[in-house]
């Protein structure tokens, strides 16, 4: 078929042709002309690829959206920066100001000493052996005669650069004084951390091996060396034996004999149905030797032990005399005084057997 469309007609039809608005017959005629006319074909290509010009109103809307987007990103960045700053401030406040409750025990690095040099007053001096920890927010609460001293552990700073601290506590109407979870004074008697640990670990039955292990761990037996536990609970007298693995000679153990009998007496008092305790050793030649303390023996010697102690410390609170060593487990103060009295019993030759 002869192509009867002129370039002028085709150029008029091209916009409609590109948008697909022309009829099939017109399409056929336009395409036949485009196949033979490079100029019109180039115009068709240009029309097909050219973007539709935006109206002035649309251009303004696009610019506005771009501005909003840029403003949104700036706000997001500012929010992230503020959040990071607040987080850093919170962490710093937690570490240097707020801290965490101090949970002191004998393994912590905060130490204290107690003094009763002033009548009716307990003076507590707190100090740390480490420079990377400080304490703040000291509080002293008295509820029904039970005083608790607490603090918070923080990192040193210009606000709190040391843990050295004094508390002066009036003992008027006070029955007990605690530092965190440790009893340090009861009824006129200063309580050592060791006796507080032993007292809190007390158990009624020597057959309860885990509980017995806690009692022994609270004492000082591990200072001598490793040991295994042997229980005799089939018949009375019920006996607890500590078999030490390292060789020791009588009188040559690192812990003195008097200190050994102190801990043995405390164990007899604090384990309800224990009748005897033995610390068994072997010397360098493998020869066995041991130290044994029984409830019967200790009960027999209590009057002498207590009388000697009270004579030595007549200015302090007298140690009570009970018929049975088990009665000293009734309070931490009684156990502390029995423990102290056993040291002087050893010094006086009642139990110390240095060879």
């Amino acid at each position: 078929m002869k192509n009867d469309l002129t370039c002028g007609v085709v150029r008029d039809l091209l916009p409609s042709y590109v948008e697909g608005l022309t009829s099939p017959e017109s399409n056929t005629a336009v395409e036949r002309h485009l196949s033979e006319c490079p100029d019109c074909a180039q115009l068709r290509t240009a029309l097909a690829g050219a973007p539709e010009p935006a109206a002035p109103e649309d251009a303004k809307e696009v610019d506005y959206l771009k501005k909003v987007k840029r403003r949104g990103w700036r706000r997001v960045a500012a929010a992230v920066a503020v959040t990071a700053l607040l987080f850093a401030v919170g962490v710093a406040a937690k570490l240097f100001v707020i801290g965490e409750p101090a949970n002191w025990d004998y393994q912590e690095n905060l130490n204290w000493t107690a003094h009763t040099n002033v009548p009716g007053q307990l003076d507590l001096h707190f100090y740390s052996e480490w420079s990377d920890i400080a304490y703040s927010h000291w509080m002293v609460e008295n509820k029904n005669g039970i005083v608790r001293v607490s603090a918070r552990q923080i990192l040193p700073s210009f606000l709190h650069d040391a843990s050295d601290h004094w508390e002066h506590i009036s003992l008027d109407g006070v029955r007990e004084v605690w530092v965190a979870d440790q009893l340090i004074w009861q009824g006129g008697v200063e309580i050592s951390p060791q006796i507080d640990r032993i007292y809190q670990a007390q158990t009624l039955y020597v057959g309860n091996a885990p509980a017995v292990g806690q009692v022994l761990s609270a004492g000082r037996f591990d200072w001598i060396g490793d040991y295994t536990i042997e229980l005799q609970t089939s018949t009375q007298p019920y006996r607890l034996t500590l078999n030490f693995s390292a060789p020791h000679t009588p009188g040559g153990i690192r812990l003195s004999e008097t200190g050994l009998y102190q801990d043995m007496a405390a164990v007899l008092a604090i384990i309800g149905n224990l009748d005897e305790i033995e610390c068994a050793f072997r010397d360098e030649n493998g020869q066995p030797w041991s130290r044994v303390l029984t409830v019967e023996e200790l009960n027999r010697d209590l009057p002498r032990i207590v009388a000697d102690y009270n004579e030595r410390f007549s200015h302090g609170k007298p140690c009570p005399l009970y018929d049975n060593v088990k009665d000293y487990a009734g309070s931490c103060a009684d156990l502390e005084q029995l423990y102290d009295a056993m040291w002087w019993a050893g010094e006086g030759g009642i139990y110390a057997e240095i060879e």
Side-chain angles (χ1 to χ4, degrees):
M1 178 184 294
K2 182 179 178 181
N3 180 16
D4 53 359
L5 294 180
T6 65
C7 288
V9 174
V10 170
R11 291 175 182 178
D12 289 339
L13 291 176
L14 276 179
S16 299
Y17 170 79
V18 169
E19 294 182 7
L21 300 178
T22 52
S23 66
E25 293 82 358
S26 297
N27 291 342
T28 301
V30 169
E31 291 170 358
R32 184 181 304 113
H33 178 84
L34 293 176
S35 63
E36 297 175 356
C37 179
D39 293 336
C40 290
Q42 184 177 1
L43 179 61
R44 189 273 309 270
T45 302
L47 288 175
E52 182 179 357
E57 293 78 7
D58 294 340
K60 292 180 181 179
E61 183 176 352
V62 170
D63 290 341
Y64 173 75
L65 291 175
K66 289 180 179 179
K67 291 179 181 179
V68 170
K69 186 175 182 181
R70 286 195 297 270
R71 194 177 303 157
W73 277 114
R74 286 196 293 268
R75 288 177 179 174
V76 170
V80 171
V82 170
T83 301
L85 178 61
L86 291 177
F87 178 77
V89 170
V91 171
K94 172 67 175 176
L95 295 177
F96 295 97
V97 180
I98 301 174
E100 59 185 10
N103 182 23
W104 301 314
D105 57 30
Y106 72 104
Q107 295 176 334
E108 291 279 347
N109 58 46
L110 184 71
N111 303 306
W112 65 84
T113 58
H115 309 276
T116 53
N117 299 328
V118 178
Q121 178 174 294
L122 181 65
D123 298 316
L124 299 178
H125 179 212
F126 297 89
Y127 61 95
S128 177
E129 298 178 352
W130 303 93
S131 60
D132 58 346
I133 294 179
Y135 293 87
S136 67
H137 302 83
W138 290 91
M139 293 185 61
V140 178
E141 297 179 301
N142 187 339
K143 292 185 179 180
N144 301 320
I146 298 179
V147 174
R148 291 188 179 273
V149 181
S150 62
R152 298 187 73 85
Q153 179 177 310
I154 58 176
L155 292 180
S157 68
F158 68 94
L159 298 173
H160 305 281
D161 61 355
S163 60
D164 190 86
H165 182 76
W166 280 89
E167 288 290 347
H168 307 285
I169 300 172
S170 172
L171 297 177
D172 184 24
V174 173
R175 295 180 288 118
E176 296 178 353
V177 177
W178 293 71
V179 173
D181 294 328
Q182 286 191 45
L183 178 65
I184 66 169
W185 186 92
Q186 184 181 60
V189 178
E190 295 177 18
I191 308 298
S192 64
Q194 179 186 358
I195 290 302
D196 178 55
R197 296 195 303 272
I198 294 175
Y199 183 79
Q200 293 191 39
Q202 64 179 295
T203 180
L204 295 175
Y205 306 106
V206 68
N208 187 345
V212 170
Q214 290 184 356
V215 173
L216 297 176
S217 296
R220 300 178 299 176
F221 296 102
D222 57 350
W223 290 10
I224 305 175
D226 296 334
Y227 59 85
T228 58
I229 299 174
E230 182 180 343
L231 300 175
Q232 197 291 109
T233 58
S234 57
T235 59
Q236 288 187 299
Y238 298 144
R239 171 174 285 211
L240 166 63
T241 300
L242 280 65
N243 295 300
F244 289 87
S245 57
H248 294 286
T249 57
I253 56 177
R254 184 171 60 181
L255 185 65
S256 68
E257 294 272 352
T258 52
L260 180 64
Y261 277 103
Q262 272 187 300
D263 286 275
M264 293 169 71
V267 171
L268 282 178
I270 216 70
I271 299 179
N273 66 342
L274 179 62
D275 299 311
E276 301 174 351
I277 180 171
E278 176 186 19
C279 291
F281 305 93
R282 290 185 178 275
D283 62 19
E284 287 78 357
N285 299 319
Q287 296 300 312
W289 65 279
S290 66
R291 295 289 180 257
V292 179
L293 186 62
T294 69
V295 170
E296 181 181 2
E297 179 185 12
L298 190 51
N299 288 344
R300 181 194 66 217
D301 294 332
L302 277 175
R304 178 183 171 187
I305 294 172
V306 172
D308 180 63
Y309 176 79
N310 289 337
E311 182 179 354
R312 290 175 183 270
F313 300 96
S314 57
H315 61 281
K317 182 179 179 180
C319 176
L321 175 61
Y322 297 121
D323 293 333
N324 195 315
V325 66
K326 303 293 184 182
D327 295 331
Y328 288 91
S331 73
C332 205
D334 287 347
L335 186 64
E336 179 71 55
Q337 289 191 296
L338 171 67
Y339 194 77
D340 293 342
M342 286 299 298
W343 173 267
W344 297 106
E347 287 290 301
I350 298 180
Y351 293 114
E353 301 179 39
I354 308 298
E355 299 179 8

